[in-house]
Amino acid sequence: MIPPEAEPALNGGTEPPLDPDYARVKALFNELSELPDAAARRARLTELKVLPALAERVLALLGHSQIAATHFSVPVAAMLAGAAAGELAPGDRLGAWTLLGELGRGGMGRVYLAERSDGHYQQRAAIKLLLGWSSEAALAQLAAERQILARLSHPHIARLIDGGATPLGRPYLVMDYVEGQRIDQYCREQTPNPAVVLGLFSQVCEAVAYAHRQLVVHCDIKPANVLVGSDGRALLLDFGIAQLQGKQGSEALALTPQYASPAQMAGMPATAADDIFSLGRMLGELLAGMPLLVSREDEWRAIVARATAADPEQRYLAVPALQYELRRFGEQRPLAALPHTGTYVARKFVRRRWPWMLAAGSVALLSAVFVLRLAVERDRALRAEDLAKQESATARQVSDFLVGLFEGADPNVSGRTDLSAASLVDKGRARIDADLQGQGAVQAALKDVLGKVYENIGRPSTALTLYEQALQLERAQPVRRPLVEAEILSRLANLLAHERQAARALAPARESVALRETRLPADSPELADSLDTLGWALTVNGAFDESATLLGRALKIREQHGADAPLALANTLHNLASMHKDAGRPQQAEALNRRALALKLKVLKEDHPSVLSTLNQLAISLADQYRNDEAQVLQLKVVAGLRALHGPNNKIVADALDELASELQDAGHISRAIATYREVLAVDEAVSGHQSMDVAVHLNNLATALEAAGDPAAEASYRESLAIRQLLLPAGDLTVARAGDNLGRWLVRAGRWTEARALLQQAAATRFAKLPPGHPDRIASGIALAEWSLAAGDVNAADRALTEAEDHQATLAPMQQVALWRTQAQLAQARAQPKVVLQLNREALALALRTVGSLHPVMLRLRLDLAYAEAAVGDLGSARATLATVQAVLAQQPIRAPLRLRSERLARQLGTTPGLKL
């Protein structure tokens, strides 16, 4: 890079360079500075056909020639060679990294091999020291852009891991260290097979397309920036580094002339079209000289020519369009890059069907069949051509729209430097309907993409609306695209399931599976996506057996593609863990979560949203095993990470805080749990409004903490949670049943049995109709009905209500076993069996102590039950001792709290009436 001393305007200035050849000279300088000597540089200039005058200026800049002084003519080669000399050496430490040695150097800076040395875990990385950054504004811009690039997560992109500044203030970037061979060398030396070469190139295209969807361009795609690892996987390096290099004032990008588009060479702002140009140039190099492609040279050269057209409008409209063209090339189908003459289309048809054609030519009897098949093929080709034209037009308009968003993020265009990601997508969403009227396919594609963005930034209600609109628009198109529908359906179902609209999620999830199952191979990753979604939707609906089957199918597919798609495998493991968690199997959930987390950390940073999601679920699986100290440590880390990503007022942050409050509650920190639940509800009100499922769920959780504190305000929270669910959800929904069951149990314990009856019976009816035998919610309803029956004096009804729980005792979670024993003790008390009551209460208390510890709120009720049982058999000393363990805590509860009243009644009786009837 030309140093700031040679270009004063670049250090925070706003004036552009006056020299019209600035961009060209700058680009040539950056490329030639990596060559070893003057001879090599002159040879490269000749190869690039650079005009002599321009070549001499570049060589002069590099210190190998003399010309009249200009603002470019500072001899900076020596400066660059020594820019970092003396500051860094092997053994030096930068942040968490220790330098091991130099890997290379060039116009952009020096690259060092380093290893992590902070003791967290072992890791090697490549550290790139950037030259030419000096102003405060430039460094601030670098930090902001680095944060964006660090969030790029793709199996074919080398990650940007970290960054900082050296003691002398030079910025550096820490990137994945990739051991491998340049893609062009690999293709020449290791695998001259065109199919393998196109496969590697397709992996690069996948990486670039992914980045474009994140509104990031590479700016310097070339063979030197693509390595093929020992596993045969292509990895794209230096993603966005050239773009970062171009952020100082009006400085041109640090690009490579051979692969740079005309617009880049002219110093224009980078767009996705420039990356397509570079991909085309690289494709031409990789395919040139392939012996098996000599006969098809006209075709692949046409693809390269289309990708590298001088006019961006004549190139492929987006990277997926280039990939689609390459697939047609591999399948011997007519290319969009060549005119569809009758001879060309027929030749491609014969090439695809040559065995059949040979047989048809030799057996006259089959001539009629041939004509028929040809007609069918012709019709199919015409339909495919119509679809291709539609997709091409859609891709062009989508590309134009996204370029507009890129430009909207540019402060020089928008006039703003504070445009957030949320503001940008809000702006884009408003434009879809305003600017694209009558263009349904384009609107559908953009609403689908923006729906995913809104989902990721914690605005699910907007995302749901966009997915539903995208599906409606897609289905209204004259040429149906079932696989596009399947993708939108899968996203819609997944979000519905996450948003606790379980019943609504099943239909789109099943339709997505059906569309893909009949059109894709059995091991298709896309089919695995739909199976994942349906498995998750079934989990939320409590259908654990069917969910396990479908998620098992998805896992089998994922494991076949695991090396190429580790994140997809991790997500399936995450969903399996969720299924086991909801089914009451926290140990299995923990193991699967840890496996998913390990996979994600291989390719993602610790603060990536996907990592935090699995870390959150791991914390829940630990809490479900009552390992609350471990769970709280992880949950605090999740909350901090999500707040840093999304800010305080965000639904995703609120959900993580809710889990933290639950863990505090189980650890006996009731006041802190109540305060945290109230904080969650404040966020819900700000983000989703009062009449929302978020508020309903979190009100219920607050009510449980208030109940544990003996606060009668719990009833109002239970009632409001139920009312909101009844307003938003259909009758018979499982989440409505859960709220009704909770309010019914509260009313029973408050002595209002008549009012509780209808709630508990309706909840039980819903659960028994929709959930399989042995499901934890069915067990909970049976125990609640038994408790109500005992309060109402119907011992036989209570006995019947406990039947299912007793039949499934071997599979009950520990605390559900405690609840069963406690209710059986009440039943024994109603039958005047005091010794049985005492034994059951002792067993319940002992199991609870082993499971949740002495501080859990349930321990108050269990100890009080035991004190009553001890008094009932005449062991008054033990009863007084047991009662003493809870009196201090219960004395802090409100005067009319049920447990406090019950403890005070026992205390009075123990003090005045020995041998009393209890």
Side-chain angles (χ1 to χ4, degrees):
M1 170 178 280
I2 296 174
E5 293 81 354
E7 303 175 84
L10 298 185
N11 290 319
T14 58
E15 292 299 321
L18 299 177
D19 194 317
D21 293 325
Y22 170 81
R24 178 72 166 158
V25 171
K26 170 72 181 297
L28 290 168
F29 173 88
N30 284 331
E31 180 172 1
L32 267 62
S33 64
E34 300 185 14
L35 299 178
D37 52 38
R41 291 166 179 163
R42 287 188 179 277
R44 183 61 177 151
L45 289 168
T46 301
E47 181 185 350
L48 294 173
K49 299 179 181 179
V50 178
L51 294 174
L54 200 61
E56 287 304 312
R57 290 180 60 188
V58 175
L59 291 172
L61 189 61
L62 290 162
H64 291 279
S65 167
Q66 297 296 324
I67 60 171
T70 71
H71 80 282
F72 273 129
S73 64
V74 178
V76 297
M79 287 178 55
L80 279 176
E87 181 182 4
L88 297 178
D92 289 347
R93 182 162 174 168
L94 290 177
W97 306 91
T98 298
L99 302 185
L100 301 179
E102 186 174 318
L103 291 173
R105 66 180 71 187
M108 293 174 66
R110 294 191 177 192
V111 183
Y112 297 88
L113 177 63
E115 67 179 2
R116 195 175 188 107
S117 52
D118 58 2
H120 286 181
Y121 48 86
Q122 292 184 337
Q123 184 181 15
R124 284 198 166 192
I127 293 185
K128 177 161 286 190
L129 182 65
L130 300 177
L131 303 181
W133 293 75
S134 57
S135 72
E136 260 185 57
L139 291 172
Q141 181 65 39
L142 172 64
E145 294 292 330
R146 190 182 72 211
Q147 190 67 22
I148 295 171
L149 297 174
R151 305 214 183 283
L152 288 181
S153 170
H154 191 273
H156 298 295
I157 295 178
R159 288 180 304 160
L160 181 62
I161 301 171
D162 198 356
T166 69
L168 293 183
R170 293 189 179 95
Y172 65 86
L173 302 173
V174 183
M175 294 168 289
D176 271 335
Y177 172 59
V178 181
E179 290 188 82
Q181 192 174 14
R182 280 176 47 145
I183 189 171
D184 52 348
Q185 296 172 352
Y186 181 89
C187 291
R188 283 196 305 269
E189 300 170 11
Q190 305 293 332
T191 176
N193 184 333
V196 176
V197 172
L198 290 174
L200 290 170
F201 183 77
S202 179
Q203 293 176 5
V204 178
C205 289
E206 290 289 346
V208 178
Y210 163 79
H212 287 180
R213 291 195 297 273
Q214 317 307 312
L215 305 185
V216 177
V217 290
H218 189 287
C219 308
D220 194 24
I221 298 172
K222 57 186 178 182
N225 277 338
V226 181
L227 295 184
V228 180
S230 58
D231 59 355
R233 182 161 55 104
L235 276 170
L236 186 53
L237 312 180
D238 279 359
F239 216 112
I241 302 303
Q243 188 178 23
L244 290 179
Q245 291 287 97
K247 289 294 183 180
Q248 293 193 69
S250 54
E251 182 181 356
L253 300 178
L255 45 84
T256 306
Q258 183 177 353
Y259 304 95
S261 70
Q264 285 178 287
M265 296 303 295
M268 301 291 288
T271 70
D274 299 316
D275 279 353
I276 291 172
F277 183 97
S278 302
L279 284 168
R281 280 289 174 86
M282 188 170 76
L283 177 65
E285 284 195 14
L286 297 180
L287 294 181
M290 284 274 168
L292 297 178
L293 290 183
V294 172
S295 62
R296 302 186 65 192
E297 185 171 352
D298 61 327
E299 288 189 297
W300 68 257
R301 288 200 181 279
I303 296 174
V304 171
R306 176 78 171 268
T308 58
D311 182 359
E313 291 294 317
Q314 300 304 313
R315 295 175 202 156
Y316 294 103
L317 304 171
V319 177
L322 172 59
Q323 292 176 277
Y324 180 71
E325 185 83 315
L326 289 171
R327 282 199 298 272
R328 293 185 68 80
F329 175 79
E331 294 168 359
Q332 290 283 355
R333 295 184 180 277
L335 302 178
L338 288 171
H340 282 204
T341 65
T343 302
Y344 175 56
V345 173
R347 178 162 54 88
K348 300 313 296 179
F349 173 76
V350 172
R351 182 66 184 85
R352 291 197 308 278
R353 297 286 188 263
W354 68 267
W356 182 84
M357 291 290 291
L358 181 61
S362 62
V363 183
L365 184 61
L366 298 180
S367 59
V369 178
F370 167 69
V371 173
L372 177 62
R373 288 291 300 273
L374 187 59
V376 171
E377 185 69 25
R378 179 204 61 199
D379 293 342
R380 184 182 297 126
L382 289 173
R383 288 196 301 271
E385 186 174 358
D386 289 342
L387 182 59
K389 287 178 179 178
Q390 176 184 327
E391 290 179 343
S392 177
T394 300
R396 180 181 296 278
Q397 290 160 313
V398 170
S399 176
D400 291 344
F401 183 89
L402 292 177
V403 168
L405 282 185
F406 273 112
E407 292 173 346
D410 186 345
N412 294 326
V413 175
S414 67
R416 295 178 56 186
T417 59
D418 61 341
L419 197 61
S420 67
S423 300
L424 188 60
V425 292
D426 283 341
K427 184 178 178 183
R429 182 190 176 202
R431 284 182 51 197
I432 292 175
D433 291 326
D435 298 351
L436 300 171
Q437 283 289 342
Q439 302 177 57
V442 183
Q443 290 178 311
L446 287 169
K447 289 190 175 190
D448 182 39
V449 170
L450 290 187
K452 188 65 177 175
V453 174
Y454 277 109
E455 186 177 347
N456 288 339
I457 64 175
R459 290 170 60 179
S461 59
T462 305
L464 277 174
T465 300
L466 286 167
Y467 287 150
E468 288 167 343
Q469 291 173 351
L471 184 62
Q472 184 178 5
L473 287 162
E474 184 60 41
R475 285 177 164 165
Q477 296 311 299
V479 181
R480 190 182 178 203
R481 299 187 296 176
L483 294 179
V484 175
E485 289 180 33
E487 182 175 359
I488 301 173
L489 284 162
S490 181
R491 290 184 180 177
L492 173 63
N494 186 65
L495 186 54
L496 285 168
H498 275 283
E499 289 306 295
R500 307 176 183 93
Q501 299 186 48
R504 286 186 60 198
L506 285 176
R510 292 192 188 280
E511 186 177 356
S512 179
V513 170
L515 287 171
R516 282 174 163 164
E517 211 162 23
T518 56
R519 291 168 175 84
L520 295 173
D523 62 348
S524 163
E526 291 80 10
L527 176 58
D529 287 338
S530 292
L531 292 170
D532 254 344
T533 299
L534 180 54
W536 166 241
L538 289 164
T539 292
V540 177
N541 279 277
F544 300 131
D545 290 343
E546 188 180 358
S547 173
T549 299
L550 292 168
L551 290 172
R553 283 180 60 193
L555 182 62
K556 186 175 180 180
I557 297 172
R558 298 300 196 199
E559 287 175 336
Q560 292 177 25
H561 301 276
D564 292 329
L567 291 181
L569 174 57
N571 288 335
T572 299
L573 290 168
H574 178 101
N575 286 345
L576 267 171
S578 181
M579 183 272 295
H580 283 292
K581 170 184 70 70
D582 286 4
R585 298 187 286 267
Q587 293 90 349
Q588 292 93 320
E590 179 190 353
L592 288 162
N593 279 319
R594 291 193 184 279
R595 186 179 167 196
L597 188 64
L599 281 170
K600 289 184 177 184
L601 286 173
K602 287 182 179 180
V603 293
L604 301 175
K605 292 183 67 177
E606 291 179 343
D607 63 349
H608 190 278
S610 182
V611 172
L612 293 174
S613 174
T614 297
L615 199 64
N616 177 70
Q617 191 164 265
L618 175 59
I620 295 171
S621 66
L622 292 172
D624 287 346
Q625 298 174 69
Y626 309 104
R627 293 154 62 183
N628 286 302
D629 290 342
E630 296 174 69
Q632 285 178 55
V633 169
L634 294 184
Q635 200 64 40
L636 285 167
K637 186 174 182 179
V638 170
V639 169
L642 291 175
R643 275 180 167 155
L645 283 170
H646 301 293
N649 286 330
N650 184 277
K651 170 188 163 39
I652 299 172
V653 176
D655 287 342
L657 274 173
D658 180 72
E659 292 297 343
L660 177 61
S662 176
E663 289 153 16
L664 290 169
Q665 180 178 340
D666 288 346
H669 306 304
I670 304 300
S671 59
R672 287 176 59 196
I674 291 172
T676 305
Y677 282 132
R678 294 194 188 283
E679 183 182 354
V680 170
L681 285 163
V683 176
D684 290 338
E685 296 275 358
V687 174
S688 306
H690 186 73
Q691 300 291 341
S692 67
M693 277 302 300
D694 293 325
V695 169
V697 170
H698 298 147
L699 271 172
N700 177 82
N701 296 347
L702 170 63
T704 64
L706 291 170
E707 181 178 359
D711 190 335
E715 181 180 339
S717 292
Y718 277 134
R719 286 190 182 280
E720 194 168 6
S721 175
L722 177 60
I724 294 173
R725 295 178 200 221
Q726 289 172 329
L727 177 68
L728 297 178
L729 299 173
D733 189 275
L734 286 167
T735 57
V736 175
R738 178 168 295 176
D741 187 72
N742 288 341
L743 176 59
R745 284 187 301 99
W746 163 268
L747 292 171
V748 168
R749 292 168 185 175
R752 291 149 64 186
W753 310 312
T754 303
E755 190 178 358
R757 178 180 181 178
L759 289 166
L760 293 175
Q761 288 181 337
Q762 181 58 51
T766 298
R767 287 171 163 176
F768 276 72
K770 295 192 171 185
L771 298 174
H775 189 286
D777 284 354
R778 283 179 58 131
I779 301 296
S781 274
I783 292 173
L785 283 173
E787 191 174 345
W788 176 86
S789 298
L790 287 168
D794 192 340
V795 175
N796 292 330
D799 202 357
R800 290 193 299 271
L802 291 179
T803 300
E804 183 171 334
E806 291 169 343
D807 289 344
H808 289 85
Q809 279 198 74
T811 61
L812 294 183
M815 293 309 293
Q816 202 150 46
Q817 178 67 70
V818 168
L820 174 60
W821 278 337
R822 181 175 182 273
T823 310
Q824 286 175 327
Q826 294 173 349
L827 183 59
Q829 183 178 338
R831 290 172 171 164
Q833 299 171 322
K835 291 184 179 180
V836 175
V837 173
L838 179 62
Q839 181 62 28
L840 287 168
N841 279 315
R842 282 175 174 168
E843 289 176 356
L845 181 62
L847 179 55
L849 276 171
R850 293 196 303 272
T851 304
V852 300
S854 60
L855 298 178
H856 194 281
V858 76
M859 300 305 295
L860 293 173
R861 192 179 304 275
L862 292 173
R863 285 194 170 106
L864 195 54
D865 286 347
L866 179 60
Y868 266 93
E870 289 168 337
V873 297
D875 190 354
L876 302 185
S878 294
R880 292 187 183 98
T882 302
L883 181 61
T885 63
V886 298
Q887 280 181 309
V889 177
L890 290 173
Q892 300 172 21
Q893 292 193 355
I895 293 175
R896 303 301 299 172
L899 285 184
R900 178 172 177 175
L901 289 173
R902 193 165 169 236
S903 70
E904 289 174 349
R905 183 166 62 250
L906 178 60
R908 289 193 300 271
Q909 293 171 340
L910 285 174
T912 59
T913 314
L916 73 164
K917 182 179 180 181
L918 298 171

